[in-house]
Amino acid sequence: MKHKLFYVLVAVTSYFAGVLAYLSYLIIVYDQGIGSDASKLIHWTLPSYIFLILPCYTLMFRWRKRAVLLRITLFIGLSIIAAASVFFMIGFGIWRLRDLFIPEAMLFMLLFASSSAIFTIGSLISNRKKGYMPFILASIVIIYLPNHFIAAAVEQNRPVIHQIPQHFHGTVSIYYGEEGSPPIPRIKGYEVIRIPNSGIYHTSSTRPSRGIKHVLVDEHGAEIQPISIPGEMYSPGDKPAISISSYEVP
């Protein structure tokens, strides 16, 4: 039973070790985060990991021989195949050998190669029956960090929803940082600003540094349709902490 539970831990840790390597490379080498593709990364790579990589990992996990060099060689080959499969899943193809060496493909190879390295370590620990506790402690960190980075990226790219009455036409003015006014409420993970019929909204919150999604709503607050509103004007308020954002609703 303990052997099976440890296998599950190794399998989960290996995947997130690959994701962590992918994100770390983006940050260190390219000085950028994953942005709006944060949740897509899981959708792109998890199927290949579960249906292609993990069955092979399972066989290697059950293989009692150490054969470290052979394990690493097989895992590198799997990493290349898995990276190519991800490209097909997202609508691109690996048609020539040199396509495997473009930066995007190399990043996916890094993900799966890092995953294989951690799985190799976990397999050896299982075979030797020692070193469980350090691996478990490292697993906690490895699983937490990429999930934290992805959650932060998703949150950063989550738009603020402006709900505008469907019959409203004119200027919307939002007063941010106004002491005594309520903060912007959060509904199902989104910050939602419900514009009143007067078009003037007051909040103690500062202006969120993210995009805006404008939607028309009925009198019950049910969404009717999103609308595109170009341009947003900013101006200071009568106090240093207050800022005013305004735009025209046609």
Side-chain angles (χ1 to χ4, degrees):
M1 185 65 178
K2 290 182 179 179
H3 185 74
K4 292 180 179 179
L5 289 175
F6 187 69
Y7 162 76
V8 173
L9 177 64
V10 170
V12 174
T13 303
S14 298
Y15 175 72
F16 283 108
V19 175
L20 180 59
Y22 183 103
L23 296 174
S24 300
Y25 192 88
L26 280 179
I27 294 171
I28 296 171
V29 177
Y30 293 111
D31 191 26
Q32 69 177 56
I34 194 169
S36 59
D37 289 332
S39 58
K40 293 180 183 177
L41 178 63
I42 304 297
H43 298 154
W44 289 339
T45 58
L46 189 57
S48 294
Y49 181 81
I50 291 176
F51 298 111
L52 180 62
I53 296 289
L54 195 55
C56 298
Y57 279 6
T58 303
L59 293 175
M60 297 299 288
F61 189 84
R62 295 172 65 88
W63 189 27
R64 296 299 179 180
K65 295 183 179 180
R66 294 180 182 177
V68 177
L69 185 59
L70 179 58
R71 288 174 183 265
I72 292 174
T73 302
L74 290 173
F75 284 157
I76 289 175
L78 279 173
S79 301
I80 295 172
I81 295 171
S85 71
V86 170
F87 260 61
F88 280 107
M89 286 185 60
I90 62 180
F92 298 97
I94 300 293
W95 307 110
R96 298 163 297 182
L97 182 60
R98 67 182 182 183
D99 290 341
L100 290 171
F101 299 98
I102 63 176
E104 293 81 2
M106 294 293 288
L107 269 172
F108 287 121
M109 281 188 217
L110 173 66
L111 186 153
F112 291 113
S114 301
S115 170
S116 70
I118 297 302
F119 202 96
T120 299
I121 293 171
S123 299
L124 294 175
I125 290 173
S126 177
N127 289 340
R128 294 175 180 176
K129 300 188 183 328
K130 61 181 180 179
Y132 290 107
M133 188 53 64
F135 187 89
I136 291 172
L137 294 175
S139 295
I140 294 172
V141 177
I142 290 171
I143 292 171
Y144 168 77
L145 285 178
N147 280 285
H148 173 73
F149 290 152
I150 289 174
V154 169
E155 176 62 25
Q156 183 63 32
N157 288 276
R158 197 189 300 261
V160 179
I161 297 177
H162 287 205
Q163 293 184 341
I164 304 169
Q166 61 177 324
H167 299 302
F168 179 86
H169 302 282
T171 303
V172 169
S173 297
I174 302 173
Y175 289 75
Y176 295 102
E178 203 168 55
E179 188 177 351
S181 297
I184 299 173
R186 185 175 290 271
I187 301 174
K188 295 182 179 179
Y190 289 86
E191 289 181 296
V192 178
I193 294 178
R194 293 175 173 171
I195 305 300
N197 291 326
S198 64
I200 300 175
Y201 183 89
H202 300 268
T203 177
S204 59
S205 302
T206 58
R207 185 185 181 281
S209 57
R210 62 189 72 176
I212 298 173
K213 179 182 178 182
H214 302 93
V215 297
L216 295 178
V217 296
D218 61 19
E219 61 272 16
H220 303 294
E223 182 176 331
I224 298 174
Q225 66 179 45
I227 60 171
S228 177
I229 298 179
E232 186 178 6
M233 302 293 293
Y234 303 98
S235 59
D238 55 2
K239 295 182 180 179
I242 297 177
S243 62
I244 305 170
S245 168
S246 60
Y247 54 83
E248 292 294 325
V249 179

